[in-house]
Amino acid sequence: MRSQFSGDALVHEAERLGPIHVTTGFEAGAIEVAGVGDGGDIRVSLAADPISGDVQWFFFRVSGIAGRTARIVVENSGRVSRLEGREQVPDCWTGYRPFRSRDGQDWVRCDALYEDGTLTIPVPPGADTLWFAYYPPFPMARHTAMLGRALANPRARLEVLGQTPDGHDLELLRIGTPERGKPKVWLMGRQHPSETMAGYFIEGLLGRLLDPADALGRHLAETCDLFVIPTVNPDGCRRGHTRTNARGMNLNRAWADPDPERAPEVVLIRDRMRAEGVDFCLDAHGDEELPYVFLGGPLEIPSRTARLSGLFETYARAMERACPAYRLADPYPGGAPATADLRMAWNWVAEEFDCLSVLLEMPFKDTHRQPDPEMGWSPARCAAFGWATLEAIAAVAGSLR
């Protein structure tokens, strides 16, 4: 999809070099074009989610830049909102490096400068076409391929919970056989579409869980009843939203009392959870500001118990042993709230089912533990963390009830 001087594409005519195109006409594409200056500045703005107005995610292609000295200038970067209790934490752009690709498939980090509410990304010489993204996209074709690999294992089967507002299937991967006494383990990702690291995390987790040569994966697939929802918000993922679904609803603020019209995805998942039961739940997300992986547990819910606190500590200690990128010393930011927000999935699930429910947050930037100066917290590291997470699940699986 392209148009001249409007919408998701802009054409800047230059007698010698020809037009520059800025395009978002593909899955998850998102940016608004303000103009192209004579000096080569390509001025854009982050696109706001409908109703909520959330801004953060961007994914676009620039072509016609060969032979030019150009910069991407994101003019409304300063509009990004912050969570409470983070006044002492650097904002999302400080220390952040975007991703760039020559083919839309293989991604590298690139430099950027954030000053006075504007993010500037230099365009390197030599290429005529480049893709830019806040984090490497995890397209629905990759989601489908991941499910296809899983379904090659006879222990896995696919269920469709229902349809989203845009008419897409809400897919649940069921692993294992239901038997009395088996722990019910739920794993979810991508309530927030922009947090694509959750897709790579579940891809790594499923890769180990269903690898017949991996003893731990095979053990968990045999002894647990697993429910995996890799993409809770397929509409938002396809549309290129930051945090909301097709109806403008932040699904991770809908769990206490979901509106069937605005958050049908949450209604469908809650109904299925109530029909099956939950003994453990993990909800995977990404955090834009903090340079570390952190976990949240059921520590502030109204019915909190010493049993749940002990289970969370066991889980977190096992995760610490399994992956050096995570440390208990990197806590939930701002300290624990007095009471849990039951609109959030991990809190609602813990309270509803009296179970261990864990929030996982992975960084968009890098980890200050074992940093990678070249790629930061990359899709490969997300997948490796998913692979290692089976160690922590195994540490608590026998004592969840």
Side-chain angles (χ1 to χ4, degrees), residues 164-244:
T164 66
D166 281 345
H168 299 296
D169 288 343
L170 183 59
E171 296 169 320
L172 165 70
L173 186 66
R174 184 82 179 267
I175 300 170
T177 55
E179 295 177 13
R180 187 176 180 83
K182 278 188 175 182
K184 306 281 189 178
V185 174
W186 289 75
L187 306 163
M188 302 189 299
R190 298 199 75 186
Q191 288 202 74
H192 295 153
S194 63
E195 296 162 16
T196 57
M197 57 278 294
Y200 294 105
F201 166 83
I202 289 186
E203 189 175 58
L205 185 150
L206 286 175
R208 185 180 189 186
L209 184 64
L210 295 173
D211 181 354
D214 190 282
L216 180 59
R218 188 171 63 251
H219 170 73
L220 288 175
E222 291 172 350
T223 59
C224 296
D225 195 3
L226 295 115
F227 304 80
V228 186
I229 306 176
T231 307
V232 172
N233 188 354
D235 291 355
C237 293
R238 286 181 168 91
R239 286 171 172 242
H241 289 180
T242 292
R243 289 186 182 87
T244 66

Side-chain angles (χ1 to χ4, degrees), residues 15-351:
E15 291 183 2
R16 184 172 63 86
L17 296 173
I20 290 176
H21 299 272
V22 181
T23 305
T24 60
F26 37 78
E27 181 187 305
I31 205 72
E32 294 178 356
V33 182
V36 175
D38 293 337
D41 283 357
I42 302 166
R43 297 182 293 108
V44 299
S45 294
L46 301 171
D49 285 1
I51 302 176
S52 74
D54 287 312
V55 293
Q56 192 91 51
W57 174 254
F58 60 82
F59 177 30
F60 58 92
R61 188 186 71 206
V62 180
S63 58
I65 53 176
R68 304 176 191 265
T69 301
R71 305 184 306 168
I72 309 294
V73 181
V74 187
E75 297 181 323
N76 66 337
S77 307
R79 281 189 53 199
V80 174
S81 60
R82 307 194 68 187
L83 296 175
E84 293 182 7
R86 296 199 178 191
E87 293 77 11
Q88 305 305 316
V89 175
D91 61 58
C92 63
W93 304 117
T94 301
Y96 165 73
R97 298 168 65 216
F99 281 87
R100 183 182 72 225
S101 173
R102 288 178 176 266
D103 59 7
Q105 303 294 322
D106 297 319
W107 296 87
V108 298
R109 293 272 187 177
C110 59
D111 292 331
L113 176 67
Y114 181 62
E115 286 184 332
D116 301 325
T118 298
L119 180 73
T120 302
I121 309 169
V123 177
D128 188 59
T129 298
L130 291 170
W131 282 257
F132 293 88
Y134 190 54
Y135 200 82
F138 192 90
M140 291 305 295
R142 187 162 185 155
H143 161 101
T144 300
M146 175 175 62
L147 293 184
R149 291 192 300 272
L151 292 170
N153 189 304
R155 292 194 182 93
R157 61 191 184 280
L158 186 66
E159 296 182 14
V160 176
L161 297 181
Q163 274 65 50
T164 66
D166 281 345
H168 299 296
D169 288 343
L170 183 59
E171 296 169 320
L172 165 70
L173 186 66
R174 184 82 179 267
I175 300 170
T177 55
E179 295 177 13
R180 187 176 180 83
K182 278 188 175 182
K184 306 281 189 178
V185 174
W186 289 75
L187 306 163
M188 302 189 299
R190 298 199 75 186
Q191 288 202 74
H192 295 153
S194 63
E195 296 162 16
T196 57
M197 57 278 294
Y200 294 105
F201 166 83
I202 289 186
E203 189 175 58
L205 185 150
L206 286 175
R208 185 180 189 186
L209 184 64
L210 295 173
D211 181 354
D214 190 282
L216 180 59
R218 188 171 63 251
H219 170 73
L220 288 175
E222 291 172 350
T223 59
C224 296
D225 195 3
L226 295 115
F227 304 80
V228 186
I229 306 176
T231 307
V232 172
N233 188 354
D235 291 355
C237 293
R238 286 181 168 91
R239 286 171 172 242
H241 289 180
T242 292
R243 289 186 182 87
T244 66
N245 70 353
R247 299 278 165 79
M249 185 69 204
N250 181 340
L251 296 182
N252 205 33
R253 299 297 185 274
W255 283 75
D257 186 22
D259 182 336
E261 292 297 320
R262 294 195 63 202
E265 301 93 337
V266 175
V267 173
L268 291 166
I269 297 170
R270 285 192 358 153
D271 288 349
R272 194 73 175 92
M273 284 180 165
R274 282 173 166 161
E276 292 288 347
V278 183
D279 296 311
F280 173 85
C281 182
L282 176 67
D283 185 21
H285 286 262
D287 188 276
E288 297 87 354
E289 297 174 340
L290 298 170
Y292 54 79
V293 177
F294 66 91
L295 302 176
L299 307 181
E300 297 83 36
I301 60 173
S303 63
R304 58 188 175 272
T305 62
R307 178 183 72 86
L308 290 183
S309 297
L311 280 171
F312 177 67
E313 175 129 354
T314 299
Y315 179 90
R317 292 292 183 195
M319 195 72 254
E320 194 172 47
R321 292 190 298 272
C323 185
Y326 169 72
R327 286 291 181 268
L328 267 169
D330 294 329
Y332 192 87
T339 58
D341 185 346
L342 297 183
R343 299 176 303 161
M344 298 183 184
W346 57 295
N347 287 322
W348 180 85
V349 170
E351 179 69 14

